[in-house]
Amino acid sequence: MADLDSERRADDGIAALRADLVDAGYTAAAVREAWGPLADAAIGAGLPGPARTALEGRADALATACLLFFLGDPLPRKRVDAALPRVGADGLVALGLASTADGVVAPTALIRPQDFADDRGEGEWLIASDLDEAALRGALPTGHVLGVGGASLTLAGLQLPAPVGRVLDVGTGCGIQALRARRAADGVVATDVSERALWFTRVNALLNGVDAIEVRRGSLFEPVAGELFDRVVSNPPFVITPRVAGVPQYEYRDGGMAGDELVASFVRGVGAVLAPGGVAQLLGNWEYRSGAPGLDRVRDWVSSSPVPLDAWVVERELLDPLGYAQLWVRDGGTAPGSTAYEGLVDAWLADFAARGVTAIGFGYVLLRRRMPESAAAPLARYERVTQPVPGPLAPHLAEALDAWDRLAVLDDAALAGATLCVAGDVTEARHHLPGAESPSVIELRQGGGFARVVEVDPALAALVGACDGELPVGVLVDAIAELLEADASALRADLLPRVRELVFTGILQLS
């Protein structure tokens, strides 16, 4: 009974806090307007000074919320009570979001507005997380629970949009992926090894009035052994960290395993918790060892899964060991030029050298449990795509999977009988040498999706240009063969595999 009473009080306290923040007008747009574009850019660079300067002299509720919850500044108790009349300073303390001493309220967590958009519309969340380096004015503690960062937003933009039943969020952190998943799911189970992370996930679900998010403590798939999910999402603690004394082990980024074994374990094990046809999406790092491509290592992990999986792995970045070490040493709050910085970088480099690591890849992993009755060839796509993408990739990923499934049941004869259209975001570019009548290079440029640029020959360019949903592919190929005075059968054998690729990548669409 005592636990139920405390839960009700927490629910009431969070509801009061949310109402206060709504009354204060504490939204992402209002915050940006309050301190202006320069200060907003400085915040993104970890420099809160300009924002504090912009808010000087203001005592309104919005400015108070910005200082207290966005920047993590201690404020006079009277000011907090006036700005947040429902919850007040005592309520924040009871919720574990602040401490008080000598008439001053010091936040113990940040609460920041985060706007979002998906195929269901636009909205905004309030996301609570631990104080960051700027608020702490120093290095992060190892138990730090991260707020919404670039990786979080990337994965949120990758989540497939179709409605599903149950979703598993592995390594939930502050719960941002669970909130995003719940928009398409009947229910979400969010897991983490950190009790504090699970606490933040509960707080954020309450702050945003989102139900049906269940939290469980444990590593990887241990908390859900024997259960099946329609979708699994994970921004796991994939950072490769040396296992030596003196190197901090941050829970939010370090899974406690050597090298890239955390991601390997996820890939090998996720099939057991996926329902047939279920999809897992995660971010990860993988090592290049002794010159062997990292994507080949991921391919081996997929092959070693006891459950057959489709796989689409996209490597987005590649860092050398020094660049990787510097990135993550700085991320922990250790400043370049210090003795500690040099020692940590040396530890990373020694760890990589011990395994023969020559580079570290980062990218997106999409895995799908194959249907038992499927006779189609598995999807096994491992590629590097490093160019900037124009927007969230979730719709494109969903369309590509659908295209793969439709293509899988079409042999070459059936594909030749299909009609195709050029996607609306595709343009063609032709490059000529000065004075030349014929182009030396023909490119198809994709405006959406992965913004691919595909070089094509005149025959394929002619076929794509003629795809308007009217005539079957085979008829078009025969006409092009006659025009080019080529053998129609040989041209068909050459073009159809490339047509399949253009359909999968979204440049052509099945009518």
Side-chain angles (χ1 to χ4, degrees), residues 236-241 243 253-255 257 259 285 324 328 331 348:
F238 57 74
V239 175
I240 299 167
T241 306
R243 301 289 154 211
R253 70 184 203 190
D254 174 26
M257 299 184 188
N285 278 151
Y324 190 89
W328 292 111
D331 178 80
W348 247 276

Side-chain angles (χ1 to χ4, degrees), residues 106-193:
T108 55
L110 301 175
I111 302 175
R112 291 174 168 170
Q114 177 67 52
D115 43 20
F116 65 87
D118 59 19
D119 64 324
R120 290 169 175 77
E122 298 181 352
E124 187 161 298
W125 290 309
L126 291 168
I127 303 296
S129 63
D130 269 326
L131 301 175
D132 60 13
E133 292 173 58
L136 292 169
R137 292 174 171 81
L140 300 174
T142 55
H144 177 81
V145 176
L146 200 64
V148 179
S152 300
L153 295 175
T154 295
L155 182 59
L158 292 172
Q159 286 198 35
L160 297 181
V164 289
R166 302 182 76 210
V167 174
L168 171 64
D169 175 16
V170 178
T172 189
C174 69
I176 182 67
Q177 304 306 327
L179 290 173
R180 186 63 175 257
R182 178 65 178 89
R183 288 176 60 78
D186 295 334
V188 178
V189 175
T191 69
D192 207 292
V193 297

Side-chain angles (χ1 to χ4, degrees), residues 31 82 86 115-116 144 172 178 189 221 248 250 262 292 317 327 330 348 371 373 403 409 431 451 472:
V31 169
R86 294 178 181 85
D115 43 20
F116 65 87
H144 177 81
T172 189
V189 175
F221 310 113
Y250 293 101
L262 186 282
E317 298 176 11
L327 170 67
R330 287 195 302 267
W348 247 276
M371 301 295 288
E373 68 277 10
V409 298
H431 304 272

Side-chain angles (χ1 to χ4, degrees), residues 283-302:
L283 307 179
N285 278 151
W286 37 83
E287 296 179 338
Y288 284 60
R289 295 184 182 176
S290 302
L295 285 174
D296 285 354
R297 289 174 54 73
V298 184
R299 189 190 300 269
D300 290 342
W301 301 339
V302 173

Side-chain angles (χ1 to χ4, degrees), residues 155 159-160 167-171 177-178 181 231-235 266 279-282:
L155 182 59
Q159 286 198 35
L160 297 181
V167 174
L168 171 64
D169 175 16
V170 178
Q177 304 306 327
R231 194 167 296 158
V232 178
V233 295
S234 183
N235 181 15
F266 189 106
V279 172
Q281 294 177 273
L282 69 148

Side-chain angles (χ1 to χ4, degrees), residues 443-468:
E443 294 175 335
L444 301 177
R445 296 176 175 269
Q446 186 179 42
F450 279 107
R452 298 176 190 270
V453 177
V454 181
E455 186 173 336
V456 296
D457 56 27
L460 185 54
L463 176 59
V464 171
C467 285
D468 58 5

